[in-house]
Structure formats: structure tokens, C-alpha cells
Amino acid sequence: MDEFRINNEHTAGPQLIGFDYQFYYFMYLILDLNSGEKIGFEVLDDIHIELANGSVELLQTKHTVQKTPKGEIVNLTERDSDLWKTISNWILFLNNSADKDEYLNKTVFKLVTNKSINNNTFFDNIIKFQRKQIKIKEFSGYIKNLHSNTDSVDIKSQIESLKKLDNKIKSKFIDQIQIISEPENIINLIKKRIYKFIRKEERVDDVYNSLLSNMQLDKYLTIIDRKKFEISFEDFSRRYGNCFDFAYEKTVLPKRELNLIYPKDLKSQTFIKQLVDIGETFESDSDDILRYTTAMLKTFNSLNDWKDNGEILSTHIVTFDDDAIFIWNRIFKERYRDYKSKINSGVISHDERLIKQIALECINDVRKEKLKLKNDELNEELSNGQFYILSNEPKIGWHIDWEKKYKK
């Protein structure tokens, strides 16, 4: 058991999570790129961003799974190995540059960590210097003291690299350093940025999964081919724009069991009166009247529920009404065309029996139609319910004189 515990403590898991964190943060940043900017992964640093003005941001990401006894992520201390590895790497870049002044004029250094940066004296002194609350002499004295009181040989050596910079270069270097604490789960941060793009919470995971898998594959294929994995704002739109299509693909509107509140007098409903008038049902047929009213209420409630939950817009309902009226109008005209022609030519006179027969054929044809809302085909009951709603208002009817009879 002890042997297993020891081996488990030395697992590579935390290191692998650190690599994952780096790529997730790359994703997080790419979602905030602006026109003319380019981001790179493991090119100039862990991550770098080339800004439109020619300056460059170098980012080092440091992730930890270590927690305090209270279950909180550990602090980034002033002698933290992650901190000083990063600082020494940046100083190495600086020392290798052809012109240190020019390099510092256009380079910003960012350390991104999930560790807390509270009570970090090094970071506090950087902020004080950048705000001109202390001068370089005081900052250098702090670094000298930190160097003298550090036991770790490696960290002492890394502090030494900063200590050795002349004050002019050291001043410019410190001015360009930023330490960013991102304690929130990085995947949640990515999804929040995706949500800002699409404004559809229920489709965020679809977009996220598509974006993650495609970017990971591209990264692998690019790096294994010994090329630089760099993506500009324009590249991102071109290469990964389709990942966002998941937010706008056809979605099936949810079918929910909603409470139906029936009117006290079902027979007094205009759409029921219209059906009774043409002999489709009878006032005594309570089962038919209840079934038709149920279909109408289900459609009415569903439309309001979908609108209230943001699944459809008011404009979708307007279009839905217009489409249904268009279908009704086509069928109504087709069914009454011959009758009107004969009336107008004097072949026949008003024939109520024939009108009711045509009206029944009209509503039978309409009931066979399946309406679409946001590209989702509704079932027969909800489609019929929509026509019942419209004939209850009434915007449509079945009898040739329905407007004179029912439209007030």
C-alpha cells in the first residue's frame, strides 16, 4: 500500500494537466483576438500574441493541482519555482535579443496561473514600481535581500539573473511584467466567451467540443509537420467559423407537458362555432369539442413557453401565423374556385349544402398539413392547433362567408 502511495504521488498527471491548461488558455485567448492580431502556441513562448501595432505579448502558463488544508489553490509565493523559472526564461530571451531597449519597447511579459497571487511581496513590489511608488534602487534592494535569503540553489540562480540586470534595463523589464491569476476553471471561462458569441446557452457545449477537437487536431498535425502553430484573427474565422454553425443548426423545439386551462364554455369558442356551422362537429359532441380545444391550447401554450424560454422570438410567431394563413388561403381558394366560377357565371345560385361539403373538404385538407417553426416540423396535433387558434381569432375560416359570420 505504501509503495502504491509513493508511486501515485509521483504520477505525471499534474504535469499533463499543466500542458492541457496551456492549450485551454490558448483557446481562451483566441476567442478574444481582434482584427490584425495573431496568436501562436509554443512558438516564441508558451503562448504569444502579435498585436496589430507590432508589439508582442509573451505568456507563460503555470497550473497547479496543489491545495491548502482548506481546499483552496495554493498561493504563488515570492520564491515560487514557477515564478522564477518564468522570470529567468524571459531574461534569457532579453539577453539573447540584438537590442535590449528595442526588445523591451515592444514586448509585454505575462505570467498566467491558477494560483492565488495574494500576499506575494515580489508581485506587490512590481505593482509599486509600476505605479512609481518605489524607485529602482528600492526594488533592487528587495531583490538583493530576496536572493540572500533564498536557500534553493536553482531559485537563487534564477533570482540572480534578475539581480544582475543593470538598472535601466531592469526598470524597463519590470514595467512590462504582468502576473495574472485565473483561479476559475479555464473550461468555464472558454464557454463563457463562446456564449458571448452565440447567445445560446444550450448550444455552447456543441460549439466548444467542435472547436476543441478541430484545434487540437490542427495543432498536432502542424507541430508534427515541424511547422509553427500560429493563427491570425482572419485565419480563425476562416478555419473555425464552421464550428459556430452548431449554434444555428436546426433544433427540435422541446415538447413539454404544460398545464391546460380550459374556458368555462367550450361551445362558445369561435373556432368551435365555425366547425359546428359546417357540420364538422355538433354541439352535443363533447368529445370532439374537448379534443379540438385541447389541440388549440397545447399549441397556444407551447408557443408562449418557447417564446418565454428564448427558444423562439416574437418574429418567429408572426412568421408562423403568416405561413399557416398562406397554406389555408391556398387550400381555401382551390376548394372554392369551381363553386365561385359557377356562381359568377350563373350556372348555380347560393347552395348551403354544397358550401358545407366544400368547407369540410377544406378543413380536411388543412388538417393534413404539418407546419414548421424554426425549421422544426410540428406534429399533426400542434399543427391543427395552430389552425384552430387562427380560426378562433378569427383570421381564417371554412365557410365561404366566414368573415361575414364571425369577423367582428
Side-chain angles (χ1 to χ4, degrees), residues 69 93 120 132 149 188 226 270-271 297 301 314 322-323 385 394:
F93 297 158
N120 186 312
K132 303 189 184 307
N149 291 285
N188 290 341
R226 297 182 179 277
T270 300
F271 89 100
L297 290 175
N301 285 5
S314 297
D322 290 344
D323 290 345

Side-chain angles (χ1 to χ4, degrees), residues 109-121:
F109 307 91
K110 295 184 177 182
L111 170 60
V112 181
T113 178
N114 70 325
K115 295 181 180 181
S116 170
I117 57 176
N118 293 331
N119 303 315
N120 186 312
T121 310

Side-chain angles (χ1 to χ4, degrees), residues 20 72 112 147 271 305 386:
D20 288 340
E72 300 170 345
V112 181
H147 178 267
F271 89 100
D305 176 71
Q386 169 67 355

Side-chain angles (χ1 to χ4, degrees), residues 195-381:
Y195 177 70
K196 286 179 69 176
F197 274 90
I198 66 175
R199 293 294 194 272
K200 292 184 178 182
E201 188 173 357
E202 73 277 11
R203 304 315 298 267
V204 167
D205 283 347
D206 295 324
V207 174
Y208 167 79
N209 290 329
S210 177
L211 192 59
L212 175 63
S213 59
N214 280 283
M215 287 183 64
Q216 280 184 326
L217 179 60
D218 283 355
K219 172 178 71 76
Y220 174 79
L221 294 175
T222 301
I223 293 175
I224 203 172
D225 201 28
R226 297 182 179 277
K227 295 179 181 177
K228 297 177 180 179
F229 189 57
E230 295 179 299
I231 301 171
S232 69
F233 173 85
E234 291 73 21
D235 289 336
F236 180 74
S237 299
R238 176 178 54 82
R239 293 167 63 176
Y240 304 108
N242 287 340
C243 296
F244 292 85
D245 289 348
F246 283 99
Y248 310 103
E249 284 188 342
K250 173 184 173 181
T251 57
V252 177
L253 294 168
K255 307 301 186 290
R256 302 184 178 102
E257 291 296 325
L258 303 170
N259 185 37
L260 304 180
I261 302 175
Y262 292 87
K264 290 182 180 179
D265 185 3
L266 301 186
K267 298 174 187 176
S268 66
Q269 299 175 100
T270 300
F271 89 100
I272 293 295
K273 288 180 178 179
Q274 290 212 57
L275 295 177
V276 170
D277 186 22
I278 63 175
E280 197 285 331
T281 190
F282 306 95
E283 288 188 355
S284 59
D285 197 338
S286 58
D287 289 343
D288 269 0
I289 293 173
L290 180 62
R291 184 168 63 254
Y292 298 155
T293 303
T294 297
M296 184 184 73
L297 290 175
K298 281 186 176 180
T299 304
F300 181 82
N301 285 5
S302 293
L303 291 171
N304 282 291
D305 176 71
W306 292 331
K307 180 175 177 291
D308 290 343
N309 285 286
E311 283 136 357
I312 61 173
L313 303 171
S314 297
T315 51
H316 287 125
I317 296 177
V318 172
T319 301
F320 186 54
D321 287 350
D322 290 344
D323 290 345
I325 292 171
F326 182 87
I327 290 170
W328 162 82
N329 189 57
R330 170 177 55 80
I331 293 172
F332 188 85
K333 283 194 169 186
E334 285 177 357
R335 282 299 177 181
Y336 280 104
R337 184 178 294 118
D338 184 59
Y339 177 83
K340 285 185 175 181
S341 177
K342 289 178 179 178
I343 288 288
N344 292 334
S345 63
V347 174
I348 62 172
S349 58
H350 184 87
D351 186 335
E352 190 66 21
R353 183 194 61 80
L354 182 56
I355 288 173
K356 289 183 178 181
Q357 179 183 329
I358 294 172
L360 289 172
E361 292 170 352
C362 181
I363 191 169
N364 286 340
D365 287 348
V366 166
R367 281 173 172 162
K368 294 174 185 176
E369 296 288 334
K370 288 189 177 179
L371 299 173
K372 287 186 176 181
L373 179 59
K374 274 190 71 179
N375 294 321
D376 184 14
E377 186 176 83
L378 303 187
N379 62 31
E380 193 172 281
E381 182 182 32

Side-chain angles (χ1 to χ4, degrees), residues 93-109:
F93 297 158
L94 173 62
N95 289 334
N96 288 336
S97 63
D99 186 325
K100 292 184 176 66
D101 278 317
E102 180 62 23
Y103 182 76
L104 291 172
N105 285 338
K106 64 178 184 179
T107 307
V108 174
F109 307 91

